[in-house]
Amino acid sequence: MTVTTRFAPSPTGTLHVGNLRTALHNWMFARKQGGRFLLRIDDTDRARSEERHVESIRADLGWLGLVPDGEARQSARFERYEALFAGLVAAGRIYPAYESAEELDLKRKVLLGRGLPPVYDRAALGLGAEDRAKLETEGVRAHWRFKLDHDMPIEWDDMVRGHQRFDPKTMSDPVIRRADGSWLYLFPSVVDDVDMAVTHVVRGEDHVSNTATQLQMFDALGSTPPAFAHEALLVGNEGKLSKRLGSLGVDHFREAGIEPQALIALLARIGTSDPVEPHVDAAPLIHGFDFARFGRAPARFDEAELAQLNARIVHQLGFDAVAARLPDGMTSIAWAAIRPNLATVAEAADWWRVVEGPIDPADLPDEDRAWLVQAAEVAAALDWSADPWHALTNALKETTGRKGKSLFLPLRLALTGRAHGPDMAALLPLIGRDRTLARLRAAA
Ligand code: GLU
């Protein structure tokens, strides 16, 4: 049996970081097991689903490198749902109900007022054929409920949450189809999971009670249910479910200069007992992926942690991986010199401007300026072919007696216009003799 997972977003908006995490875990688990990772577009809600969102979902997965092994769309499968629905209606496992939203609301309030759980009372099951015909002639259209088997205990061993148990008597028969004929997600999802031979459903813990009802749907369709992993949800740094997290997607991360590897390294590990580490290659993350390592507490997503991780990823990226995003003329030697100072790849352009110039002239005290006149003379006489920075600073140490900060800082300021930056030994050969002399003289 091939392990098969699926990521099943509704194309009613763009993916947020919580969705990306679910997609990633589905992909990682499938890759680890040598299985298949499918993308299923849950577009039963035709009014709210939009093609541009389908496209952005594909693009976002592509950016992360989570390439699905297959794609399905619920809107293309309505006939299939219809056929299985008809069978279950005929078998009495799905039944029509006619209560309006207001009536249902009232029933719930009455039960809650009596301190009882607000479970649907199955009044619709008491309707005879005549009652239904009468309602229909009055223009009341049925919605459809799946009839839970109250005698069948609902239990499963969740890969994250451990043993789960629900008493079907305490649950309402779920509505699976609206009065206008449109589908709610519950039933089509089960049909798809059966038809696509999904072996593992990985999703957020907000779906746990859906799973309880869906397990009986698998059974009603004569299928063995898949295994389930319900992950604790993502929370923001402040420890709460934040609006902000719901709006953070790939566009935001890309604009912030976050590399896909950084997002993967973070989302692969937060919420688990494993440390977050700057893996450029997903292989070790996949290798160590295990639902048993996930905790029940919410996973904490911290943008500052992501930014730090990103810098550590950028410091490892090879020239070929970034060349297309670097300014013209920037060589692999320049990349190697500048890379350790970057928080994002885009910042390389700032340092390349520092190399190429013009730079803002440094405003130095007179004492340093006089000293830079000497520095320029020493620099002019240097052998530039080997290690000009050490040659320059060693010569200046000897001839002027300066050392430490009073030696290095005026040089750095004169040569780069900045007090901090990449290792000068790596930078100076890039700046080169002519620009070095010009900058030292300009600052002097
Ligand atoms: N479309 C559903 C959602 O986004 C899918 C849930 C599932 O994975 O079954 O919540």
Side-chain angles (χ1 to χ4, degrees):
M1 187 175 61
T2 312
V3 163
T4 303
T5 64
R6 85 292 193 283
F7 172 54
S10 304
T12 53
T14 46
L15 301 178
H16 58 68
V17 60
N19 306 135
L20 297 173
R21 176 169 178 253
T22 302
L24 176 68
H25 294 169
N26 273 284
W27 176 79
M28 290 176 81
F29 184 72
R31 285 292 163 272
K32 176 164 183 185
Q33 305 294 328
R36 296 186 308 147
F37 163 68
L38 306 178
L39 172 61
R40 187 183 85 201
I41 303 292
D42 282 7
D43 56 353
T44 55
D45 187 339
R46 281 179 146 159
R48 290 177 58 228
S49 298
E50 291 182 52
E51 203 52 34
R52 67 191 169 106
H53 296 314
V54 175
E55 276 154 26
S56 82
I57 288 167
R58 290 193 196 111
D60 289 354
L61 294 181
W63 182 75
L64 280 170
L66 314 183
V67 183
D69 300 305
E71 184 182 310
R73 285 179 86 123
Q74 293 196 321
S75 59
R77 293 176 42 78
F78 288 149
E79 277 177 29
R80 175 72 178 147
Y81 307 145
E82 196 71 57
L84 293 177
F85 169 83
L88 291 181
V89 170
R93 202 64 203 273
I94 292 175
Y95 62 93
Y98 294 87
E99 292 91 346
S100 66
E102 293 74 29
E103 280 174 89
L104 290 171
D105 201 39
L106 191 64
K107 285 185 191 217
R108 264 195 297 272
K109 282 190 180 133
V110 170
L111 288 170
L112 287 170
R114 288 197 215 136
L116 295 170
V119 179
Y120 176 60
D121 61 8
R122 294 185 158 176
L125 282 178
L127 300 172
E130 272 176 38
D131 304 316
R132 288 200 296 271
K134 185 164 174 279
L135 284 163
E136 300 271 352
T137 46
E138 284 165 9
V140 186
R141 303 291 304 275
H143 56 273
W144 300 84
R145 288 185 185 263
F146 177 78
K147 190 175 160 203
L148 293 171
D149 181 345
H150 283 180
D151 298 324
M152 186 186 182
I154 299 175
E155 291 183 57
W156 77 94
D157 285 311
D158 195 274
M159 289 188 287
V160 173
R161 297 167 64 86
H163 193 71
Q164 301 291 297
R165 207 192 149 87
F166 283 78
D167 178 358
K169 292 188 204 70
T170 65
M171 306 184 77
S172 297
D173 291 336
V175 175
I176 59 153
R177 199 170 186 182
R178 298 186 191 88
D180 65 2
S182 65
W183 299 99
L184 283 110
Y185 128 90
L186 283 174
F187 181 67
S189 178
V190 170
V191 175
D192 295 339
D193 287 339
V194 170
D195 288 351
M196 286 154 208
V198 168
T199 59
H200 295 79
V201 170
V202 179
R203 58 190 182 186
E205 67 183 8
D206 50 330
H207 283 290
V208 169
S209 57
N210 288 338
T211 298
T213 65
Q214 286 179 319
L215 282 173
Q216 288 209 354
M217 296 181 202
F218 281 102
D219 185 70
L221 293 174
S223 285
T224 311
F228 287 89
H230 290 94
E231 300 184 337
L233 301 182
L234 216 54
V235 293
N237 196 28
E238 65 285 3
K240 278 189 296 195
L241 269 173
S242 70
K243 254 194 179 168
R244 171 149 178 84
L245 277 192
S247 69
L248 289 186
V250 163
D251 286 351
H252 166 83
F253 295 122
R254 197 185 308 176
E255 275 160 33
I258 299 298
E259 301 296 316
Q261 295 96 323
L263 196 57
I264 287 177
L266 186 70
L267 295 180
R269 291 279 178 85
I270 49 173
T272 76
S273 49
D274 294 318
V276 170
E277 295 164 331
H279 287 287
V280 172
D281 182 359
L285 294 168
I286 292 169
H287 182 75
F289 187 81
D290 185 352
F291 288 114
R293 304 190 74 81
F294 281 76
R296 294 281 300 269
R300 194 168 285 229
F301 178 80
D302 178 356
E303 275 199 276
E305 185 180 15
L306 177 62
Q308 279 169 18
L309 192 63
N310 194 59
R312 294 167 72 194
I313 296 277
V314 169
H315 301 166
Q316 299 172 65
L317 294 177
F319 178 69
D320 291 342
V322 296
R325 290 186 282 157
L326 297 180
D328 281 349
M330 195 169 158
T331 59
S332 63
I333 293 172
W335 170 246
I338 287 169
R339 180 176 77 164
N341 252 71
L342 303 178
T344 65
V345 172
E347 286 175 6
D350 298 339
W351 288 110
W352 188 241
R353 264 194 301 278
V354 167
V355 168
E356 295 218 298
I359 58 162
D360 295 330
D363 192 13
L364 290 159
D366 290 347
E367 200 190 329
D368 285 341
R369 293 171 57 184
W371 180 76
L372 287 173
V373 176
Q374 273 177 281
E377 281 162 17
V378 173
L382 281 184
D383 169 11
W384 275 80
S385 62
D387 180 358
W389 176 251
H390 287 109
L392 174 67
T393 51
N394 286 338
L396 283 170
K397 238 184 254 176
E398 250 172 59
T399 54
T400 69
R402 280 205 188 198
K403 55 183 184 188
K405 200 176 166 193
S406 69
L407 169 69
F408 298 115
L409 187 59
L411 287 176
R412 181 181 281 283
L413 284 168
L415 292 168
T416 68
R418 303 181 186 198
H420 303 281
D423 179 12
M424 287 302 298
L427 214 51
L428 200 60
L430 300 171
I431 294 172
R433 184 176 189 275
D434 294 348
R435 283 186 294 231
T436 295
L437 299 185
R439 288 178 193 183
L440 291 175
R441 285 174 189 145

